[in-house]
Amino acid sequence: MGRIGKHSFTLERRPRIISSASYVGDKEGKGPLGHCFDKICKDDTLGLPSWEQAESRMFESSVRVALAKIHAQSSDLSCLMGGDLLNQIISAGFAAREIRSPFIGLYGACSTMSEGIMVGSMLVDGGYMDLVACAASSHFSSAERQYRYPLEMGVQATPTCQRTVTGAGCVLIKDPENLNGEYPFNSIELIGGTVGSVEDFGITDANNMGAAMAPAAAETICTHFRDFSTSPANYDRIITGDLGSFGSEMLYELCRGQGYDIKSKHDDCGKLMFSEEQNVHCGGSGCGCAATVLAGHILPKIESGEYKKILFLATGAMLSPVSSLQGESIPAIAHALVIKHVEEI
């Protein structure tokens, strides 16, 4: 692994993404990407006593399905890493209790999927691990209960609000020197990335996550371009995780201020997840947003060669219910990954 500048790195062995799985809720399944997901859950409790238990089950199931696609079991994992939005990442922790593989719990808010893949790819690239599962989840009802108001109160959503995605996504990263057969993905490699820094523009509105996260996304993207001496022209798509429509427009302005026009190359998972007719205001958010869109929608496009090279960065707002009630502003972070289609030799 090579270090570039203060924030960026290259992966010399180019770990492979070989499988993925995605579980979503009913509303997500009715959106534009519904056909991309492995499982659409009509009952957001999955028949369990609580939304929190349902989220943990979705996390666990996404890992098991990704493994089943390569005819592997949890005992074959070198490590499971991931997290969610709930206090003490209980969705991931309780899922790991059932999966019973080595586990590294991560918290990057909605940036957790990028964080997991970044750390997992480094461990594989360094030769420390062979097969790593990276997963993240969120649930509309469990997040609303923790961060905002009980659903029973029927509180009116603000125009800048985003809907937390009910979903869980998992990707499997494999040592390229130990590939042994055909996988769902045979042509996807991780070649490097950029570690984000915490940015805070003083946003205090917990119903405006896009504005809080856009500065972190812009800083990571522009840092990446500078470190690698690249530009938007070097990527088929630049895909953020959770900015939604308002945050995306703010992102364009911030990047233009640093000399980069990314608008024509940019997609946002939060904007892709829902249609305007679904009335979710500024789009989707949550750990499960970037995780499921990456696993179900983006990776197949890279595998097919439709996307040759993308910059993927999930974006996270590092607030808590306590910090919001204390009047703190909302710091945010974004981590970027370069994911590339492997050309046939």
Side-chain angles (χ1 to χ4, degrees):
M1 186 176 72
R3 182 176 175 182
I4 300 177
K6 187 176 180 179
H7 290 265
S8 300
F9 60 94
T10 58
L11 299 165
E12 296 176 4
R13 296 168 68 180
R14 300 196 169 190
R16 296 291 187 92
I17 293 177
I18 60 170
S19 181
S20 70
S22 52
Y23 271 47
V24 297
D26 184 55
K27 193 173 185 73
E28 291 75 12
K30 292 176 179 175
L33 304 182
H35 63 285
C36 299
F37 305 122
D38 290 290
K39 175 71 174 179
I40 298 171
C41 305
K42 300 298 182 181
D43 172 12
D44 69 355
T45 68
L46 277 65
L48 296 169
S50 72
W51 294 312
E52 289 76 11
Q53 288 176 309
E55 182 182 340
S56 185
R57 180 67 59 82
M58 293 176 75
F59 186 110
E60 177 190 349
S61 297
S62 71
V63 176
R64 294 194 186 279
V65 169
L67 287 167
K69 289 181 180 181
I70 63 167
H71 308 290
Q73 299 178 347
S74 58
S75 58
D76 298 311
L77 282 175
S78 303
C79 188
L80 165 66
M81 53 184 58
D84 53 88
L85 291 176
L86 300 183
N87 291 338
Q88 289 77 51
I89 56 170
I90 57 171
S91 296
F94 291 166
R97 176 181 63 185
E98 304 303 318
I99 293 171
R100 300 202 59 75
S101 71
F103 172 59
I104 298 176
L106 301 170
Y107 185 79
C110 300
S111 74
T112 297
M113 194 61 176
S114 284
E115 182 182 10
I117 296 173
M118 179 178 66
V119 176
S121 65
M122 289 177 175
L123 290 170
V124 171
D125 192 64
Y128 300 104
M129 294 182 178
D130 175 55
L131 180 64
V132 173
C134 304
S137 68
S138 56
H139 194 297
F140 170 73
S141 299
S142 65
E144 289 296 308
R145 173 149 61 192
Q146 177 170 289
Y147 284 98
R148 296 184 181 91
Y149 301 97
L151 295 177
E152 294 84 353
M153 291 181 66
V155 174
Q156 182 71 38
T158 65
T160 57
C161 190
Q162 294 169 244
R163 180 184 174 92
T164 302
V165 164
T166 297
C170 175
V171 303
L172 299 183
I173 302 172
K174 176 78 171 171
D175 186 335
E177 296 183 8
N178 294 328
L179 299 175
N180 52 9
E182 290 294 313
Y183 302 107
F185 302 135
N186 295 287
S187 304
I188 304 176
E189 62 183 7
L190 293 153
I191 66 173
T194 299
V195 180
S197 57
V198 174
E199 304 294 328
D200 190 338
F201 269 34
I203 304 297
T204 57
D205 183 0
N207 291 299
N208 194 355
M209 292 292 97
M213 294 186 289
E219 188 61 29
T220 299
I221 290 170
C222 295
T223 298
H224 179 84
F225 290 154
R226 289 190 293 267
D227 284 352
F228 284 91
S229 299
T230 58
S231 73
N234 295 100
Y235 301 90
D236 292 306
R237 305 305 295 166
I238 298 165
I239 303 173
T240 53
D242 314 88
L243 300 182
S245 55
F246 185 86
S248 294
E249 291 299 322
M250 187 172 172
L251 173 68
Y252 305 150
E253 290 189 27
L254 291 169
C255 287
R256 279 195 293 267
Q258 297 195 47
Y260 300 102
D261 187 352
I262 71 167
K263 186 171 184 178
S264 64
K265 293 293 184 80
H266 177 254
D267 284 325
D268 182 75
C269 299
K271 292 172 64 177
L272 293 171
M273 178 63 78
F274 299 110
S275 66
E276 291 185 6
E277 292 74 24
Q278 289 181 285
N279 191 29
V280 294
H281 300 281
C282 280
S285 66
C287 295
C289 182
T292 55
V293 175
L294 175 67
H297 174 65
I298 298 169
L299 292 180
K301 288 182 178 293
I302 302 173
E303 173 69 15
S304 70
E306 180 177 345
Y307 294 162
K308 301 294 186 183
K309 184 180 179 184
I310 72 163
L311 186 66
F312 173 79
L313 60 157
T315 47
M318 310 297 286
L319 79 163
S320 79
V322 173
S323 67
S324 293
L325 290 171
Q326 291 178 345
E328 278 280 2
S329 57
I330 303 171
I333 195 163
H335 304 295
L337 300 158
V338 182
I339 311 176
K340 186 176 177 293
H341 175 77
V342 180
E343 300 290 350
E344 294 184 7
I345 301 176

